[in-house]
Amino acid sequence: MSQRVGLPSGAPRVTIGRSARVEDLDATTALLERAFLEGRPESVRSMYERFSPLVFTIALRSLGSVVDAEDVTQQVFVAAWRGRATFDLARAPLQAWLVGITRNIVADTHARRAREGRAAAAARTGAVEQVADGSAQVVDQVVVAQAIEDLGDPQRTIIRMAFFDELTHVEIADRVGLPLGTVKSHIRRSLGRLRTRLEVTDVPS
């Protein structure tokens, strides 16, 4: 599994040998938890080295995809660092807290898959269901899905993140590696193109 999460370079590491005793592991965990609570950046590297195999295994078993499991693993440690103020050692140890974040992100990934599956199913069956009750809604779904597909990247990816994944502009900018202003410009222009496309589609023949 590739380690794709961005971690501080040259930071000291907390390493655990195979022959480490239980009390050594407990002491190492206590040091790591304290460093994380203090907001020390080097703690993220140690957390990743210590717990990423567990996070990856949970994600892989649930999602059945190495690529998705790697993405989830990256998201978990980014989310943990950003949300470190919510970590309360009195409520749960660090490992249990990370497992909770993992479960939430895995659930979000399943929900995204379901949304994408419904959109794909609507695109495949829309032409047949035009004669059925509710056909107008199906046609709208097909038209919108095709219009988004025609945008091309990065606009297509950004619009999907904004409306299907319900990410904020800041989160999208982080995901695609573009400046926030550029992401906003892509969304604004894409919405204009979609509006024009849909208005043309609605013109009676």
Side-chain angles (χ1 to χ4, degrees), residues 95-105:
Q95 176 174 310
W97 186 67
L98 288 172
V99 169
I101 296 175
T102 303
R103 287 174 175 169
N104 288 337
I105 294 179

Side-chain angles (χ1 to χ4, degrees), residues 38-65:
E38 293 172 354
R40 290 160 54 186
E42 65 269 19
S43 64
V44 184
R45 179 184 297 276
S46 297
M47 284 171 55
Y48 189 87
E49 293 177 345
R50 175 79 179 274
F51 297 114
S52 62
L54 173 63
V55 170
F56 177 81
T57 299
I58 293 171
L60 181 61
R61 288 180 177 176
S62 180
L63 298 169
S65 165

Side-chain angles (χ1 to χ4, degrees), residues 2-14:
S2 60
Q3 296 186 3
R4 305 191 307 173
V5 65
L7 299 174
S9 59
R13 304 184 181 185
V14 178

Side-chain angles (χ1 to χ4, degrees), residues 43-158:
S43 64
V44 184
R45 179 184 297 276
S46 297
M47 284 171 55
Y48 189 87
E49 293 177 345
R50 175 79 179 274
F51 297 114
S52 62
L54 173 63
V55 170
F56 177 81
T57 299
I58 293 171
L60 181 61
R61 288 180 177 176
S62 180
L63 298 169
S65 165
V66 171
V67 172
D68 285 346
E70 289 179 340
D71 287 340
V72 166
T73 302
Q74 178 181 4
Q75 292 179 52
V76 165
F77 288 93
V78 171
W81 179 247
R82 290 177 175 174
R84 60 190 180 277
T86 65
F87 174 53
D88 184 356
L89 188 55
R91 298 180 58 185
L94 185 57
Q95 176 174 310
W97 186 67
L98 288 172
V99 169
I101 296 175
T102 303
R103 287 174 175 169
N104 288 337
I105 294 179
V106 166
D108 289 343
T109 303
H110 279 299
R112 173 179 57 79
R113 283 180 171 183
R115 289 194 300 269
E116 292 176 349
R118 289 193 297 268
R124 289 194 301 269
T125 62
V128 175
E129 294 186 5
Q130 289 181 22
V131 297
D133 291 340
S135 60
Q137 180 179 0
V138 174
V139 172
D140 288 345
Q141 291 174 343
V142 174
V143 170
V144 171
Q146 186 59 53
I148 292 175
E149 184 67 24
D150 292 342
L151 286 175
D153 279 326
Q155 292 88 351
R156 173 173 52 211
T157 298
I158 290 172

